[in-house]
Amino acid sequence: MSTGKALRAGLVGLGSMGRHHARVLSGLEGVDLVGVVDPMGDKFGASQGAPILNTVEELISLGVDYAVVACPTHLHEEVGLMLAEAGVCALIEKPVAESVEGARRLVEAFESRGLVAGVGHIERCNPALRSLRARLEAGELGDVYQVVTRRQGPFPHRIADVGVVKDLATHDIDLTGWVLGRTYVSIAAHTVSKSGRSHEDMVSAVGRLDDGTMVNHLVNWLSPLKERFTSVTGERGCFIADTLTADLTFHSNAAVTTEWEALQAFRGVSEGDMIRYAIPKREPLLVEHELFRDAVLGKEADICTLRQGMRTVQVAAAVLESATHNRSVSLQAEDLATHGS
């Protein structure tokens, strides 16, 4: 890919997420937003002046280098395959596809043509989680024992085609594997549906990663409390990331013993210092776009690949299978490659 001139980018979908993609793309250095596809038109004036098109074929005819796919999940596979067939790179919103089979077809379509393609798992670009990952890689926590995530809040009326597992839990599944560089080997889950919709709106899941780390996920859109919580507990203490505020704190195990006898009997470790880190807080969506742009240009860039996105869909499918059949589900051997590959 030549770096002599700006990349020509397109966008498919001007929904609640697509509008943000249009805003970022229109100001992204080294990129020109040349067209936006949405049969409903630009109802909110979000296209940033780019021409509004009715079909993906029209976008392809403009000679785009890559496209961002932000249409409803059930259309991801169809649109992605069209782009791959035309030799266009793609950044596809999460989840990458509605089914494992659809995700696999997308992987094969882009990989067989040597095209750069990624999935918009935006939590990978959250400042708190990027800092957490770097600290874990540096060994600051020692052995990791457990990851706990809580993602809850009011029902998002924009969501109509999937339940809370595919819409929200996929965030936590991906970020857990990415932050630790590990892969799920088993999952057990329960779901409930209380909002009158056909899809589940609450899930509680317990899983295990390939190094033995225990994982707990609580996800729902039935709570008036909005929470985005990730904790990683290990040998030297506990990291807590709040991805709403992009804050990262560390609660350390203390070297000083507790002299209060009642607490000595209760606590497995003694409390140490609590550190709140000062970290740069850039907009995650901008970081995601910068990384994908660089990947299209052939530069080294840490994007979420389609294959990684497929593994997240596989785990999400296992969550739903477990909840349906009331049993733990083991992930197949083909899913056990390192998450970072």
Side-chain angles (χ1 to χ4, degrees), residues 149-161:
T149 71
R150 296 195 301 271
R151 183 175 300 269
Q152 55 186 344
F155 175 71
H157 293 285
R158 63 183 176 84
I159 300 299
D161 59 340

Side-chain angles (χ1 to χ4, degrees), residues 152-174:
Q152 55 186 344
F155 175 71
H157 293 285
R158 63 183 176 84
I159 300 299
D161 59 340
V162 294
V164 74
V165 171
K166 290 183 179 179
D167 182 58
L168 292 184
T170 47
H171 279 300
D172 296 304
I173 292 166
D174 180 76

Side-chain angles (χ1 to χ4, degrees), residues 2 12 16 28 33 47 68 74 82 110 138 250 279 291 329 331:
S2 173
V12 181
S16 59
L28 187 61
L33 178 59
S47 65
V68 177
H74 71 275
M82 292 174 63
F110 282 92
F250 178 58
I279 52 179
L291 290 171
V329 175
L331 278 299

Side-chain angles (χ1 to χ4, degrees), residues 308-329:
Q308 292 168 350
M310 178 181 70
R311 291 183 188 135
T312 295
V313 173
Q314 288 169 328
V315 177
V319 168
L320 293 172
E321 180 185 346
S322 171
T324 299
H325 299 289
N326 195 29
R327 61 179 176 84
S328 178
V329 175

